[in-house]
Amino acid sequence: MRMLLSIFFVVFTFFGPAPAAQVCKYSVRDLGFVDLVPPPFRLVLVHNGATILQAQHQELAIGKGLVHGNIRLVKVSAEELKTNGEFRGIQLPGKLAQPQFWLTGPDDRAVPFEPTTFMRDLVQSPMRHAIQHEVTHSLAVVLLLESTNDAANQAARAKAEKVLAIVNKVKMNFDKAPAGEIKLLALPVVNRPQERWTLWGLGEEPAASDTPKIAVLFGKMRRAGALFVGADWPEAELFDRMATLSQSAELELDRQQFFGSALPFVGSSDWQEKLADNLQFDPHSGAVKAEISALLKKAPQQMGQGMPRRMSFEALMAAQREPLPDEGDPLQQGIENVPPVGGEIQRPAFPATAPSNFANGCVAFVFLIAGIAGWILLGLSVWMLERRQITAKPS
């Protein structure tokens, strides 16, 4: 009996269930919904000794409307403003006859603000409402800022639509991509005045230029990287940006550069509650924030350490493009020929030396069963041998 217990101990110690491999459950896109730093925009209420009571009433009235948003109301005195370097962009006109508001951004931009006139436009707009809806269900949204040049607008739109068509065809092969279709939204020149604060969040002016620009937005309407200017940008860059957002946050080497400035907004309480269901985690949870904060402090993992390699736009096109006698756009032909999940498209996306997590699990399970069976057989053989020796002894 002691022999059997010893064998069982050895089997459990060396062949028992191993701890599950730590696979990051958050994508770069997921991180865009978690607030780890103070709100990027501040509505600064400046007062002096004579206007402090009026400022307090305004603080109470306006502060309620900024809940669930990324705009923080800050009340400071005119004297503090002179010595506090955080508000160096604010230039007071002189003596304050009444409290004054300034809107500041993360890049030290500051503009005078009149809450009675502009508050509704600051916290929400038709375009930001549409962006918020799209980023909740999809990997990201692409926003085209149209210019006064119609030909350039059409070229930029066609190029972005072409890349998005490819992304939407193959995103099921990405690491962590939601099912929602990635859409292209356009801001016409005629609508720029009513989207003044949308443009301000992107670092743009209400006045239109003669060059279109494209922004990629995700999470709580954060900009993923710099704007694409004109129509001469490489298609692979837009594709790669989408693929990066779907990448495991623990793997992505350049994840920090994708957390650009956000658009000012205030979301509804219903939207805040639905985020946890759509994301499969609560972005407002203190435990989640602590987990992600610790994750961002870790050195990113290298490719081939049990996580899939990001799909390459060039490899995708090389795998899908075949010489065809028909005339037409070869890139569009490549889109039509993209195979379903499990087709040839997955081969260039993953390193040949790094098997998938599922394959690793199957192999480990087979070895586990074989090991346990071998030790059990060995134990039975020893036990039977001992029994025979006992039976063979003369009484």
Side-chain angles (χ1 to χ4, degrees):
M1 187 65 181
R2 285 181 296 177
M3 176 70 73
L4 289 177
L5 290 176
S6 300
I7 293 173
F8 176 78
F9 176 77
V10 172
V11 170
F12 183 82
T13 302
F14 291 96
F15 295 96
Q22 295 296 319
V23 178
C24 182
K25 60 184 177 182
Y26 302 110
S27 67
V28 176
R29 177 243 184 189
D30 291 337
L31 303 190
F33 288 98
V34 181
D35 298 319
L36 298 177
V37 295
F41 299 100
R42 290 180 295 182
L43 188 57
V44 183
L45 173 55
V46 186
H47 66 87
N48 56 25
T51 61
I52 186 171
L53 291 179
Q54 186 180 357
Q56 288 175 346
H57 287 298
Q58 291 177 317
E59 180 184 21
L60 291 174
I62 295 174
K64 296 178 181 178
L66 299 180
V67 178
H68 303 311
N70 60 357
I71 308 167
R72 179 164 57 106
L73 181 61
V74 180
K75 181 164 60 66
V76 298
S77 67
E79 290 299 319
E80 181 184 355
L81 197 67
K82 296 177 182 178
T83 58
N84 194 328
E86 295 182 14
F87 307 106
R88 54 180 173 270
I90 299 177
Q91 301 294 329
L92 296 179
K95 186 178 180 180
L96 291 179
Q98 59 183 1
Q100 191 175 92
F101 288 87
W102 288 73
L103 182 66
T104 67
D107 52 0
D108 294 330
R109 287 179 299 157
V111 293
F113 187 82
E114 177 51 58
T116 57
T117 304
F118 296 115
M119 182 58 71
R120 181 186 294 271
D121 293 338
L122 173 64
V123 299
Q124 197 55 272
S125 70
M127 180 56 71
R128 277 173 287 163
H129 180 76
I131 293 171
Q132 180 178 301
H133 174 76
E134 295 300 331
V135 297
T136 304
H137 304 283
S138 65
L139 192 61
V141 65
V142 176
L143 175 62
L144 169 62
L145 306 178
E146 294 187 348
S147 68
T148 56
N149 187 329
D150 290 338
N153 293 339
Q154 294 176 9
R157 175 188 287 273
K159 202 166 187 178
E161 288 178 340
K162 184 181 296 184
V163 175
L164 289 185
I166 300 172
V167 172
N168 285 320
K169 284 280 188 178
V170 303
K171 63 184 174 62
M172 74 283 294
N173 294 289
F174 287 174
D175 190 9
K176 301 174 183 292
E181 180 181 358
I182 304 171
K183 296 182 180 179
L184 174 68
L185 303 178
L187 177 58
V189 171
V190 68
N191 291 345
R192 289 177 75 98
Q194 75 176 110
E195 296 292 342
R196 171 184 179 182
W197 301 113
T198 303
L199 294 164
W200 192 75
L202 293 171
E204 297 292 311
E205 298 294 333
S209 68
D210 58 357
T211 304
K213 297 180 182 180
I214 287 178
V216 177
L217 300 161
F218 74 106
K220 288 189 174 179
M221 290 195 280
R222 296 181 178 181
R223 195 183 71 207
L227 297 177
F228 292 92
V229 181
D232 294 331
W233 39 269
E235 295 167 348
E237 287 190 11
L238 179 57
F239 180 93
D240 189 62
R241 198 166 299 187
M242 298 295 177
T244 299
L245 292 176
S246 74
Q247 194 79 358
S248 294
E250 194 169 359
L251 175 65
E252 184 50 51
L253 299 176
D254 51 0
R255 59 195 173 204
Q256 293 292 354
Q257 69 170 309
F258 285 86
F259 290 88
S261 61
L263 305 183
F265 82 99
V266 173
S268 66
S269 57
D270 290 341
W271 179 69
Q272 297 286 340
E273 294 174 358
K274 291 178 181 177
L275 279 181
D277 295 332
N278 292 328
L279 298 174
Q280 304 302 314
F281 68 90
D282 184 3
H284 311 106
S285 165
V288 170
K289 291 181 179 181
E291 185 179 0
I292 291 179
S293 179
L295 167 66
L296 293 176
K297 293 177 182 178
K298 293 170 56 179
Q301 292 187 10
Q302 300 296 323
M303 293 291 186
Q305 293 184 355
M307 292 186 179
R309 184 185 302 275
R310 184 169 65 227
M311 185 179 297
S312 164
F313 180 83
E314 292 83 355
L316 171 67
M317 291 296 96
Q320 297 306 314
R321 187 178 296 144
E322 297 180 359
L324 299 174
D326 299 334
E327 294 184 357
D329 187 353
L331 190 57
Q332 185 64 33
Q333 294 165 357
I335 297 173
E336 300 302 329
N337 291 321
V338 172
V341 178
E344 293 296 324
I345 191 172
Q346 289 183 313
R347 284 205 285 267
F350 300 92
T353 58
S356 66
N357 291 334
F358 178 75
N360 286 332
C362 292
V363 172
F365 181 75
V366 170
F367 275 104
L368 173 64
I369 297 300
I372 293 174
W375 279 100
I376 291 175
L377 290 174
L378 178 60
L380 289 174
S381 300
V382 173
W383 178 76
M384 292 176 65
L385 181 59
E386 288 181 345
R387 295 292 300 173
R388 288 178 181 176
Q389 290 176 348
I390 293 173
T391 305
K393 290 180 180 179
S395 58

